[in-house]
Amino acid sequence: MNNIRVRFAPSPTGYLHIGGVRTALFNYLFARHNGGKFILRIEDTDRERSTEESIKQIIEGMKWIGFDWDEGPYRQTERQEIYQEHVERLLKEGKAYRCYCTSEELEERRKVALSKREKPKYDGRCRELTLPDVPPLSRGGVLGDDKPYAVRFKTPKEGKTVFTDLLREEVIFDNSELDDLIILRSDKTPTYNFCVVVDDATMNITHVIRGDDHLANTPRQIHLYRGLGYPLPQFAHLSMILGADKSRLSKRHGATSILSYRDMGYLPEAMVNYLVRLGWSHGDQEIFSRDELIKYFSLENINKSAAVFNPEKLLWVNSHYIKTENPLRLAKELKPLLIAEKLIPPHPPLEKGGRGDLITDEEIAKVIPLLQERSKTLIEMAKGMEFYFINDIKYDEKAKEKLFTPSIKPVLKKLIEMIEKIEDFSHASIEGIFNKLVEEFNIKLGQIAQPVRLALTGKTVSPGIFEVISVLGKERVIDRLKTAIHHIDGK
């Protein structure tokens, strides 16, 4: 297990899928557990579908989730000369050949094979062509009549390809089921399977840990390794993540982009903890620190059966991390969401109705303990903080009609007087004031607390009223109580 090198190699044809994040996570933990290297490679050979925006989102998602790679990100589009050299080598050694069949010819033969109920694979008619010398591919070599060609690898026609998968034990493929793989298209762009092998071999990848949707590619890639004279890595194919209906996880089951979960208020630690448990276990333990995951992780403890994605379980894990996390740490994750909810400004000057100064992480952290126990996501927490950051409170109309009555006005006025006089604006002193009001006006605590809660937050449900008063501070509490009195007076 010395000098382990693994890679995560997403294709930038869309967002970073949480299934891909789990694959990256298993590679990352395997490398860190064994003191190896974790490499990020962007497989952008599909030039029509690959986009710079997708690459940006992949890297952003990897950074948010906390995967620090040791090398990369490499890009296949920057390695074209390396692929050309390997194609030239295979042609020179007679392990590959030029194929002049057009796409129309290939499609016609495919239809004929299907009509005969035969497997529609390439029939190998260009495999033994004797051709005149042509210039190297690097100089755009073509046949004398300028007819374009692709390059195919000569796949063994007989026997079986056998390899030991670290998760599935022995896997056997019949070579007769495979055709001669195109490794270079007629437009001189290399194909996926060829690039993967050249990259993994030249980057000295020792373990290829990937989803089992790549299992069928493995025999083709093994032939290419052998044809190029490179040692085989060890393979481990992970079972897919399924939705609740046991079909492959997709958008119909909910969000599948890792950055969508960030925007919905999930913590990266919660996503890591939940995804690692989709297929891996360490006894009955449910919650792990990053250090514990690195310490305990092994391929032997990966489950071979598919895992089912459970949004409710993810929500529970997220709420656990919110409850136990340091408020200042939560504030850093919360700040972009508060900006998105327009509760705090991204920069001065401020939008109408909000605070006029820049909000620090420390100020956000002051409010967090009021909401940690009741918030399952950071979005819930951000919305629960509206009373603190927005001074122009909008009252619940039904509650206003019920609670803002003439009889409560003297209670509120007395509360203002008592608050103005106290020096110690603590939970205990505030509670003491309310107890005195209960006694003086001969009413129940709820008869005071609910109108005050509405005055301070605009709602009838909030964190504890004494905590709300304490965190708002004397000046803002008095201002809001005075505003409530004005509403009672009809002003």
Side-chain angles (χ1 to χ4, degrees), residues 5 8 102 109 131 141 213 291 303 319 325 328 336 424 449 458:
R5 291 173 62 84
F8 175 56
T102 66
R109 288 178 221 156
L131 302 172
D213 53 333
D291 289 343
N303 199 321
S319 65
E325 187 55 84
L328 194 56
D424 174 24

Side-chain angles (χ1 to χ4, degrees), residues 7 72 107 121 140 162 189 215 245 254 285 330 378 400 404 429 439 446:
R7 47 64 165 186
E107 177 59 22
K121 63 179 185 176
V162 182
T189 58
L215 187 61
D245 59 0
Q285 187 170 343
L330 287 178
L378 294 181
K400 176 184 170 184
F404 282 1
S429 62
E439 186 176 342

Side-chain angles (χ1 to χ4, degrees), residues 241-305:
I241 301 176
L242 305 179
D245 59 0
K246 302 301 173 67
S247 64
R248 186 170 178 175
L249 189 66
S250 65
K251 286 183 179 179
R252 70 175 179 275
H253 300 110
T256 53
S257 162
I258 191 62
L259 291 180
S260 292
Y261 283 91
R262 177 197 65 182
D263 297 341
M264 291 191 303
Y266 287 80
L267 290 169
E269 297 91 338
M271 295 303 301
V272 166
N273 201 127
Y274 180 72
L275 290 175
V276 79
R277 292 287 288 112
L278 287 179
W280 176 87
S281 62
H282 179 73
D284 296 327
Q285 187 170 343
E286 288 284 349
I287 302 297
F288 297 86
S289 67
R290 183 70 62 100
D291 289 343
E292 285 177 320
L293 288 175
I294 291 171
K295 178 182 178 182
Y296 298 139
F297 186 83
S298 69
L299 296 179
E300 289 77 11
N301 288 333
I302 292 178
N303 199 321
K304 299 177 181 63
S305 58

Side-chain angles (χ1 to χ4, degrees), residues 149-255:
Y149 61 83
V151 177
R152 290 182 182 267
F153 177 73
K154 289 184 177 180
T155 302
K157 297 298 181 186
E158 299 177 349
K160 299 182 184 298
T161 299
V162 182
F163 68 95
T164 300
D165 189 287
L166 294 174
L167 301 180
R168 299 165 183 274
E169 300 177 350
E170 189 174 73
V171 182
I172 302 173
F173 286 90
D174 195 326
N175 290 338
S176 63
E177 295 293 312
L178 306 174
D179 57 5
D180 290 346
L181 178 71
I182 292 177
I183 59 175
L184 195 76
R185 301 180 187 90
S186 57
D187 64 359
K188 300 300 178 282
T189 58
T191 57
Y192 169 78
N193 276 300
F194 183 67
C195 292
V196 167
V197 170
V198 172
D199 287 339
D200 285 344
T202 55
M203 293 178 185
N204 299 312
I205 300 302
T206 60
H207 294 73
V208 174
I209 305 169
R210 58 189 179 185
D212 63 6
D213 53 333
H214 290 285
L215 187 61
N217 291 327
T218 308
R220 294 183 178 279
Q221 294 174 5
I222 287 174
H223 292 151
L224 287 168
Y225 275 105
R226 290 170 176 164
L228 290 166
Y230 287 120
L232 294 179
Q234 295 191 65
F235 293 97
H237 289 90
L238 308 168
S239 296
M240 293 286 97
I241 301 176
L242 305 179
D245 59 0
K246 302 301 173 67
S247 64
R248 186 170 178 175
L249 189 66
S250 65
K251 286 183 179 179
R252 70 175 179 275
H253 300 110

Side-chain angles (χ1 to χ4, degrees), residues 42-101:
I42 307 297
E43 297 191 335
D44 56 348
T45 51
D46 187 342
R47 296 185 180 182
E48 289 185 2
R49 297 171 60 217
S50 297
T51 66
E52 291 298 320
E53 179 60 27
S54 291
I55 294 173
K56 179 183 175 183
Q57 288 206 8
I58 287 170
I59 293 173
E60 186 178 351
M62 292 286 285
K63 288 181 176 178
W64 178 71
I65 208 74
F67 297 157
D68 52 321
W69 52 89
D70 300 296
E71 294 180 21
Y74 297 110
R75 293 179 60 167
Q76 289 182 330
T77 49
E78 298 171 351
R79 296 170 56 81
Q80 297 302 300
E81 289 185 11
I82 297 173
Y83 307 136
Q84 294 277 32
E85 291 169 3
H86 283 77
V87 172
E88 295 278 7
R89 189 206 304 179
L90 290 174
L91 283 169
K92 186 176 180 180
E93 295 174 356
K95 297 174 180 176
Y97 61 93
R98 297 172 178 84
C99 176
Y100 296 89
C101 300

